[in-house]
Amino acid sequence: MDAFSKIAEHIKHDTHVAILTGAGISAESGIPTFRDKDGIWTKMDPNQLASFDVFLRDPVLVSHWYQHRRKVAEEHKPNAGHLALAELEKFCKSVTVVTQNIDRYHQKAGSKNVIELHGNIEENYCIRCKKFQEIPELKDNDVPKCKYCGDLVRPNVVWFGEMLPQDAIRKASETARNCDVFFSVGTSTVVFPAAQFPLDAKNSGAVLIEINPEETMLTPYCHYSVREKSSVALTQLLEILKKKIEK
Ligand code: BJW
Ligand code: ZN
């Protein structure tokens, strides 16, 4: 039996499935990852750019960087990996996607139960009065300013040193501790607290499966490691599940 068939054996209609996703699942949509060879941050240190301090020091650089990424996300679309996860909901009554991504592609693909750990790129809020608002297209040295109080407006994402949304952390933690099967898909699992969830799931008795073309920090702890792109692996797994249902 190949790895996909073995993994499919663990998935029944009443199985609680959790999936932690990272930048790798959106790579095949044309969204660069963070730490791969051609990732966003190969020339810039993530610890240098994704922080509130840097935003305050250089709001033009950071705001324009996010504007660029917002456009890239708008111009591309979810791929077969996102669609396969959405379709998984037809086979299992409990599927929860816990994503580190800010592109909203899981929701766009049709996944109903998505926990966003690091926020999203669509929303922006004022750093002073916290009011959410639309921001205009930025040109040259523009920075987005709050229409209520005039202070800086930032993307609704979580930077290093910032707390993750409490509700997201609580739900993700519960999901990890209560699932039967936990997939880690397209993430290097180097950023905490997200990287803790697969380990929590395993410690609570879940089967831990990784889908990633490369080895990661998590690989030694996994029951199954599939060295494959997520679109290929998730589509193949779904095909096997479909055949199982038809039998
Ligand atoms: C494919 C593929 C294909 C390619 N198919 N796969 C415990 C220990 C040590 C440090 C800490 C700790 N707890 C907290 C920290 C500090 C810090 C941290 O984790 N630092 C580490 C770097 C060591 N964490 C935090 O600061 C977090 N906050 C926090 O914990 O608050 C409490 C606190 C406050 C103050 C002090 C201490 C604690 C916040 C973390 C926020 C992360 N934010 C970012 C930016 C979000 C906005 C944005 O997008 O711009 O989130 S950083 C960046 O990394 C982004 C990602 O979501 C995140 C994870 O990256 P991801 O998704 O794994 O991407 P890559 O590129 O790393 O990996 C891609 C993978 O895909 C690769 O493996 C490829 O092989 C694979 N791949 N093609 C499948 N086709
Ligand atoms: Zn304001």
Side-chain angles (χ1 to χ4, degrees), residues 109-129:
S111 283
K112 290 192 193 70
N113 196 9
V114 183
I115 300 170
E116 292 178 331
L117 292 176
H118 295 161
N120 71 79
I121 202 167
E122 288 176 5
E123 296 173 331
N124 296 275
Y125 67 91
C126 170
I127 63 168
R128 184 192 297 261
C129 71

Side-chain angles (χ1 to χ4, degrees), residues 70-165:
R70 201 173 293 118
K71 279 188 181 157
V72 171
E74 281 165 9
E75 283 161 11
H76 295 76
K77 57 181 197 304
N79 63 57
H82 300 99
L83 295 171
L85 288 185
E87 213 181 331
L88 188 61
E89 293 176 12
K90 290 183 189 158
F91 300 93
C92 301
K93 59 181 183 193
S94 169
V95 177
T96 306
V97 177
V98 180
T99 190
Q100 300 168 84
N101 299 344
I102 60 171
D103 55 28
R104 293 240 152 127
Y105 278 11
H106 289 298
Q107 292 93 328
K108 284 179 184 149
S111 283
K112 290 192 193 70
N113 196 9
V114 183
I115 300 170
E116 292 178 331
L117 292 176
H118 295 161
N120 71 79
I121 202 167
E122 288 176 5
E123 296 173 331
N124 296 275
Y125 67 91
C126 170
I127 63 168
R128 184 192 297 261
C129 71
K130 314 292 179 205
K131 286 193 177 129
F132 279 79
Q133 53 202 276
E134 302 276 316
I135 55 169
E137 163 104 21
L138 304 175
K139 300 215 170 58
D140 306 322
N141 287 336
D142 287 354
V143 288
K145 290 283 181 65
C146 177
K147 61 182 177 192
Y148 305 101
C149 77
D151 214 328
L152 288 169
V153 172
R154 59 165 286 176
N156 183 25
V157 300
V158 181
W159 286 322
F160 285 115
E162 294 186 322
M163 297 296 288
L164 278 66

Side-chain angles (χ1 to χ4, degrees), residues 20-226:
L20 173 70
T21 64
I25 194 165
S26 295
E28 291 164 84
S29 292
I31 313 279
T33 61
F34 294 94
R35 298 172 186 83
D36 288 325
K37 288 188 290 295
D38 53 353
I40 302 177
W41 284 336
T42 44
K43 294 184 192 75
M44 289 185 261
D45 179 357
N47 301 295
Q48 297 284 317
L49 210 50
S51 86
F52 187 61
D53 289 348
V54 177
F55 177 66
L56 286 185
R57 217 179 309 135
D58 198 342
V60 174
L61 172 72
V62 177
S63 300
H64 282 256
W65 189 54
Y66 277 93
Q67 173 164 280
H68 165 72
R69 290 175 57 201
R70 201 173 293 118
K71 279 188 181 157
V72 171
E74 281 165 9
E75 283 161 11
H76 295 76
K77 57 181 197 304
N79 63 57
H82 300 99
L83 295 171
L85 288 185
E87 213 181 331
L88 188 61
E89 293 176 12
K90 290 183 189 158
F91 300 93
C92 301
K93 59 181 183 193
S94 169
V95 177
T96 306
V97 177
V98 180
T99 190
Q100 300 168 84
N101 299 344
I102 60 171
D103 55 28
R104 293 240 152 127
Y105 278 11
H106 289 298
Q107 292 93 328
K108 284 179 184 149
S111 283
K112 290 192 193 70
N113 196 9
V114 183
I115 300 170
E116 292 178 331
L117 292 176
H118 295 161
N120 71 79
I121 202 167
E122 288 176 5
E123 296 173 331
N124 296 275
Y125 67 91
C126 170
I127 63 168
R128 184 192 297 261
C129 71
K130 314 292 179 205
K131 286 193 177 129
F132 279 79
Q133 53 202 276
E134 302 276 316
I135 55 169
E137 163 104 21
L138 304 175
K139 300 215 170 58
D140 306 322
N141 287 336
D142 287 354
V143 288
K145 290 283 181 65
C146 177
K147 61 182 177 192
Y148 305 101
C149 77
D151 214 328
L152 288 169
V153 172
R154 59 165 286 176
N156 183 25
V157 300
V158 181
W159 286 322
F160 285 115
E162 294 186 322
M163 297 296 288
L164 278 66
Q166 284 299 307
D167 197 41
I169 283 289
R170 184 183 52 76
K171 285 187 187 154
S173 178
E174 275 170 15
T175 300
R177 283 184 281 108
N178 295 320
C179 69
D180 305 302
V181 176
F182 190 104
F183 287 90
S184 174
V185 181
T187 173
S188 54
T189 54
V190 295
V191 173
F192 285 84
Q196 186 60 40
F197 295 129
L199 302 171
D200 290 347
K202 188 184 181 195
N203 290 337
S204 304
V207 177
L208 181 56
I209 302 153
E210 177 176 65
I211 297 176
N212 197 312
E214 308 288 337
E215 268 193 30
T216 72
M217 311 275 274
L218 188 68
T219 305
Y221 304 96
C222 292
H223 295 102
Y224 301 94
S225 270
V226 179

